[in-house]
Amino acid sequence: MTPYESAKAHFADWNVDTEAALAALATIPISMHCWQGDDVVGFEKQTGTSGGGIQATGNHPGRATSPEQLRADLDFAYSRIPGSHRLNLHAIYLDTDETPDRDEIEFHHFASWVDWAKSQGIGLDFNPTFFAHAKADDNLTLSHPDQGIREFWIEHGKRTREIAAQMGDALGSPAINNIWVPDGYKDNPIDRMAARARLEASLDAMLETKFDKKRMLDAVESKLFGIGVEACTVGSHEFYLGYAIRNSTVLCLDMGHFHPTENVADKLSSVALSVDEILLHVSRPMRWDSDHVILQNDDILMMAQELVTSDLLGRTHIGLDFFDATISRTAAWVIGTRNMQKALLRALLLPIADLRQAEDNLDFTSRLVLTEEFKDLPFGAIWREFCDRQNVPTGQALFADLQTYQNGVSARA
Ligand code: RNT
Ligand code: ZN
């Protein structure tokens, strides 16, 4: 008996079908974020730091400094992640000799990404970039009191929607265009309502043109606070929850954008009653929105479990959002993305019918016994089988691969 066959039998004892779990996992795409590869710098000719309260810390060697390098790193990462996935691009990752400002970008500036995605069988998602720009230095963009600045960012947003739609056309899979703005105030503002009214009006203008949902989906992402905007974030959770419901957009929940003791997994079933589709930015906040690489910790396991038990996989887009510059950036992608998949696999391997029955019978003892006993089942053998079937390494082979690749990029200037 192979380790997998033995593990399969252990799970079968509890009426859990490992083959069904493996088949289900193989169909779940994860949208990997391009910005882990270069510390959210991008390829605009003029760049500074990311700004807007988001920051990669660390200076590990090997940061990708060109689209070619980033794609090479991505190729490596995808080759060590089982399954077929997506890439989430930001507008600052354009690939061109031209120097368009944010309100001048066009689809052709991203054509190389589309060609690459096509050749790799990868779907694309997209984001307007409302930070790292002189017109965002006040930490105000779509809600800026200056109409000219608002119009500049509205135009940027409109262009990203058009670009995302064309990406969706080219790849035959809708691109999510996710809107996150850094807008907020360091100290207590006098007129929160005015700022929110301006943000709402700008979003309305930006989203005025309707796109076929087969091409592009609009998503909106809330936040609690950022460095420099401690007192008020204009696009708060309540703001965007209401906006998404009234305007039928996708709602993005970033795990780092809530109070540290809030359970973001718990929000899924609540918001799913009011919005059709959810976008996740799976992240690991440590004390604040620190964007650490995700671990197989309770927060991630709970998130995956909710997606499975609340039957939300069909209308949730799983994206990642972390960036750590103190470690190998490619290893961060590979380990973080695999951790999301491992969490999903663990959820798919739970005896859900028995757990539900115990809960319905108010038999919380059985529920506890089952969840805790299941933690000891040979999950690793099932995961390994998944990787073997997809020709992706595990264990020491993975460890060696990650090191070898990092050694190869460490000499980059
Ligand atoms: C910022 C948001 C946002 C960004 C990316 C780069 O706090 O989480 O999603 O991380 O757009
Ligand atoms: Zn995010």
Side-chain angles (χ1 to χ4, degrees):
M1 231 196 227
T2 66
Y4 172 66
E5 283 163 352
S6 151
K8 183 179 175 180
H10 279 293
F11 281 93
D13 283 345
W14 297 91
N15 293 319
V16 172
D17 180 354
T18 57
E19 287 298 323
L22 292 181
L25 185 61
T27 66
I28 307 175
I30 312 281
S31 191
M32 211 165 82
H33 50 313
C34 72
W35 52 93
Q36 163 62 59
D38 78 329
D39 315 338
V40 212
V41 174
F43 306 121
E44 282 181 328
K45 303 296 175 231
Q46 80 289 4
T47 37
T49 50
S50 45
I54 54 175
Q55 200 184 355
T57 47
N59 193 21
H60 204 72
R63 187 178 79 79
T65 58
S66 67
E68 292 74 26
Q69 287 183 353
L70 191 59
R71 282 191 283 269
D73 293 353
L74 285 162
D75 284 336
F76 168 73
Y78 286 119
S79 74
R80 301 304 188 272
I81 297 167
S84 83
H85 300 288
R86 305 177 64 83
L87 177 70
N88 192 8
L89 271 181
H90 241 282
I92 48 174
Y93 288 79
L94 71 183
D95 181 5
T96 175
D97 291 333
E98 296 169 28
T99 53
D101 203 346
R102 300 274 172 90
D103 61 343
E104 296 167 331
I105 51 167
E106 292 180 11
F107 179 71
H108 74 266
H109 298 128
F110 299 87
S112 63
W113 284 107
V114 175
D115 293 343
W116 170 82
K118 223 182 249 174
S119 72
Q120 305 292 312
I122 282 170
L124 288 179
D125 294 309
F126 203 49
N127 305 258
T129 311
F130 293 100
F131 52 82
H133 189 283
K135 289 195 166 69
D137 278 351
D138 300 318
N139 279 328
L140 292 168
T141 62
L142 291 178
S143 73
H144 202 290
D146 182 306
Q147 188 185 345
I149 294 190
R150 290 200 304 278
E151 278 169 4
F152 173 85
W153 289 114
I154 290 168
E155 181 61 25
H156 174 60
K158 285 183 176 173
R159 283 172 182 254
T160 60
R161 296 179 75 225
E162 179 60 39
I163 293 166
Q166 292 192 48
M167 287 175 166
D169 290 342
L171 299 168
S173 155
I176 297 193
N177 194 49
N178 179 51
I179 302 163
W180 173 73
V181 298
D183 296 39
Y185 295 97
K186 182 180 174 75
D187 220 334
N188 295 321
I190 290 301
D191 199 343
R192 293 170 195 255
M193 183 61 101
R196 290 192 165 123
R198 287 191 296 263
L199 177 56
E200 178 174 57
S202 294
L203 289 168
D204 287 349
M206 191 179 140
L207 302 183
E208 198 182 348
T209 307
K210 299 296 166 214
F211 285 84
D212 185 340
K213 291 192 171 182
K214 291 196 186 75
R215 307 178 66 204
M216 194 273 295
L217 293 165
D218 295 296
V220 290
E221 179 179 2
S222 68
K223 189 159 174 168
L224 177 62
F225 84 98
I227 290 179
V229 290
E230 289 85 354
C232 170
T233 290
V234 182
S236 62
H237 177 56
E238 293 74 10
F239 175 92
Y240 279 123
L241 179 60
Y243 194 86
I245 294 170
R246 281 180 286 118
N247 295 281
S248 304
T249 71
V250 177
L251 181 72
C252 175
L253 298 175
D254 182 309
M255 292 178 71
H257 292 192
F258 296 87
H259 291 276
T261 56
E262 268 184 281
N263 176 359
V264 183
D266 175 66
K267 298 178 190 302
L268 293 179
S269 49
S270 295
V271 302
L273 293 172
S274 297
V275 299
D276 287 339
E277 294 184 60
I278 299 168
L279 169 65
L280 293 182
H281 274 190
V282 183
S283 192
R284 178 165 58 103
M286 195 177 290
R287 304 182 190 281
W288 72 295
D289 183 30
S290 61
D291 290 297
H292 282 67
V293 179
I294 64 171
L295 307 178
Q296 289 182 73
N297 64 10
D298 285 349
D299 295 346
I300 311 294
L301 295 175
M302 189 73 74
M303 185 61 93
Q305 191 175 310
E306 278 302 312
L307 291 174
V308 171
T309 57
S310 295
D311 195 22
L312 291 173
L313 282 166
R315 53 194 182 109
T316 305
H317 307 267
I318 305 174
L320 307 176
D321 189 5
F322 52 77
F323 31 98
D324 187 341
T326 66
I327 57 177
S328 163
R329 294 171 184 79
T330 42
W333 264 329
V334 172
I335 298 302
T337 308
R338 287 167 63 120
N339 278 346
M340 185 68 232
Q341 293 181 289
K342 287 182 185 182
L344 288 164
L345 182 58
R346 283 187 186 276
L348 292 165
L349 289 170
L350 286 172
I352 291 165
D354 290 348
L355 285 164
R356 220 175 246 138
Q357 200 185 19
E359 186 162 289
D360 287 347
N361 293 337
L362 306 188
D363 180 3
F364 304 135
T365 311
S366 296
R367 189 183 61 185
L368 178 72
V369 172
L370 278 177
T371 56
E372 298 319 289
E373 278 300 291
F374 257 70
K375 288 180 178 164
D376 303 330
L377 258 58
F379 164 80
I382 313 286
W383 169 254
R384 192 175 181 130
E385 177 72 11
F386 186 65
C387 291
D388 287 351
R389 288 185 192 182
Q390 309 244 6
N391 289 317
V392 167
T394 50
Q396 295 195 346
L398 177 67
F399 187 62
D401 275 359
L402 293 174
Q403 272 190 331
T404 306
Y405 192 83
Q406 177 58 38
N407 291 342
V409 299
S410 285
R412 280 177 187 164

